[in-house]
Amino acid sequence: MMPIVPFVSPPESGERTTWAKILPAALSGIVQVKPFDQLSQDERRAAKVAIVANPNPADVAALPGLVWVQSLWAGVERLAADLPKDGPLIVRLTDPRMAETMSEAVLAWTLYLHRDMPRYMAQQRARVWREHDLTGPEERTVGILGLGKLGSASAQRLAANGFNVLGWSRSEKTLDGIQCHHGPDGLRAVLKQSDINVLLMPLTDETRGLIGARELSACKEGAALINFARGPILDETALLSALDDGPLSHAVLDVFNEEPLPASHPFWQHEGITVLPHVSAPTTRATAAKLVAENIARYFAEGIIPPAVDRRRGY
Ligand code: NAP
């Protein structure tokens, strides 16, 4: 008998329909993937591992024998907040393809700021023909805040494109060609030196509201900010002040406190803000499904659980 692996996702979500086709195909011959609401009571009790995408916590709680859950997303702050600390282990998606996609987005939007595109777009709207001095990438310092799977790939891609790259993480790190800093003093050092700061850390108790008025006022005059991490890491009110009356010249935002960004939000109309609808690094379904299948196959063949989220740290 093939083991049954529940797929727990809200029934009304479009995500569920798409994944409900891809996952059984990727896992065929290994396990049977079954939507949560189609499980019998015995199947609920027997489940050891589940695949989850924005699950209702009550559905996960209704699988009492779960040892671990495989998330289809890289950011698991909601899952970590929703599931009890002594509940199943949480395995997030760590797909090299996502790191490539994110590093491409970081490079693209760094180039957008580096080559002054917001200013030339504003000039076009005003029918102004004016050239500005060109700055070389080697004269531009980019700070990557968060040097995990996505941040380190992004830092290296920027360095390969000639930028001077600084990095910041929680613990001490060494990365070829990147000047790495860590801890609270390290954050100030990076903010002070960088022309562009890129947020790529997870949302945890420590990082919620981390980039506020004090941190933004420590930025270089004319610096720009890219937030590709999570909205609540950045204080939105402090950001507006730093753009209007402080050192910041522009912000590229892909993530927000509330998503979709409400139509009445001041960010939409602000000259100094580029709004993106959470698109910097979506999960690539084909590669993600393959990774999930490998993780689950290894578990049923050898009992190995992939590295899980540290619930104390929150990532
Ligand atoms: P990761 O591999 O877990 O790396 C997290 C990095 O952040 C690590 O370098 C970690 O430091 C650092 N960090 C964590 N807490 C910190 C703190 N308090 N102070 C300083 N540094 C801290 O995560 P990842 O895979 O790179 O993903 C990062 C985040 O990107 C995800 O959590 C998710 O929220 C976001 N994301 C966004 C999108 C999008 O489309 N916008 C897509 C995917 C992911 P250590 O190295 O010392 O542990």
Side-chain angles (χ1 to χ4, degrees):
M1 267 285 278
M2 252 197 301
I4 289 176
V5 170
F7 175 44
V8 192
S9 182
E12 67 280 4
S13 77
E15 285 293 339
R16 179 165 123 160
T17 320
T18 322
W19 285 107
K21 288 195 195 103
I22 296 170
L23 291 171
L27 282 143
S28 90
I30 306 168
V31 295
Q32 189 191 345
V33 180
K34 219 170 169 184
F36 171 81
D37 50 1
Q38 291 172 21
L39 297 171
S40 69
Q41 282 304 330
D42 282 348
E43 288 167 343
R44 286 185 184 196
R45 271 193 292 274
K48 294 267 179 270
V49 50
I51 303 169
V52 299
N54 301 331
N56 177 349
D59 292 351
V60 179
L63 303 168
L66 273 190
V67 179
W68 62 288
V69 296
Q70 168 73 63
S71 168
L72 295 176
W73 322 137
V76 289
E77 69 281 351
R78 207 168 108 193
L79 204 51
D82 283 350
L83 300 192
K85 290 267 191 293
D86 60 352
L89 298 171
I90 299 172
V91 175
R92 66 191 193 98
L93 186 70
T94 49
D95 184 352
R97 174 60 189 269
M98 182 180 278
E100 225 174 275
T101 309
M102 180 57 91
S103 68
E104 179 186 76
V106 170
L107 177 63
W109 293 98
T110 297
L111 290 172
Y112 165 82
L113 296 163
H114 165 62
R115 292 304 301 258
D116 254 349
M117 291 192 212
R119 173 146 70 165
Y120 286 117
M121 283 158 75
Q123 283 189 195
Q124 181 179 348
R125 284 194 294 275
R127 298 166 191 246
V128 171
W129 181 280
R130 186 181 303 142
E131 57 188 279
H132 303 278
D133 288 345
L134 186 66
T135 304
E138 69 290 349
E139 297 170 76
R140 210 68 96 173
T141 299
V142 186
I144 304 288
L145 309 182
L147 286 177
K149 298 270 188 294
L150 308 184
S152 49
S154 302
Q156 270 150 350
R157 195 150 180 176
L158 290 174
N161 278 268
F163 291 97
N164 177 36
V165 186
L166 309 180
W168 183 67
S169 53
R170 190 166 178 267
S171 57
E172 200 169 344
K173 263 205 151 59
T174 326
L175 276 180
D176 259 5
I178 316 294
Q179 199 192 108
C180 295
H181 298 257
H182 69 282
D185 293 345
L187 175 59
R188 272 191 104 66
V190 173
L191 292 173
K192 256 169 63 183
Q193 296 176 71
S194 300
D195 300 293
I196 300 168
N197 280 295
V198 185
L199 307 191
L200 269 177
M201 64 282 239
L203 177 60
T204 65
D205 290 345
E206 271 183 36
T207 63
R208 186 176 292 276
L210 180 71
I211 307 299
R214 206 159 49 107
E215 289 68 29
L216 294 172
S217 64
C219 289
K220 235 170 133 167
E221 194 54 46
L225 182 95
I226 298 176
N227 188 5
F228 284 171
R230 285 292 183 261
I233 295 173
L234 177 64
D235 179 332
E236 293 190 345
T237 310
L239 174 69
L240 286 171
S241 306
L243 287 163
D244 295 339
D245 308 309
L248 288 198
S249 59
H250 201 90
V252 177
L253 306 175
D254 186 44
V255 288
F256 305 89
N257 280 339
E258 190 181 344
E259 295 179 17
L261 187 66
S264 59
H265 201 287
F267 284 176
W268 285 112
Q269 295 293 332
H270 199 289
E271 275 282 311
I273 293 180
T274 299
V275 170
L276 299 171
H278 203 139
V279 289
S280 54
T283 297
T284 303
R285 292 196 181 93
T287 54
K290 195 163 167 282
L291 273 162
V292 167
E294 284 165 7
N295 285 348
I296 289 176
R298 203 176 312 113
Y299 174 68
F300 282 107
E302 301 166 48
I304 297 172
I305 302 172
V309 169
D310 177 335
R311 297 299 297 277
R312 211 171 22 84
R313 283 189 330 189
Y315 71 99

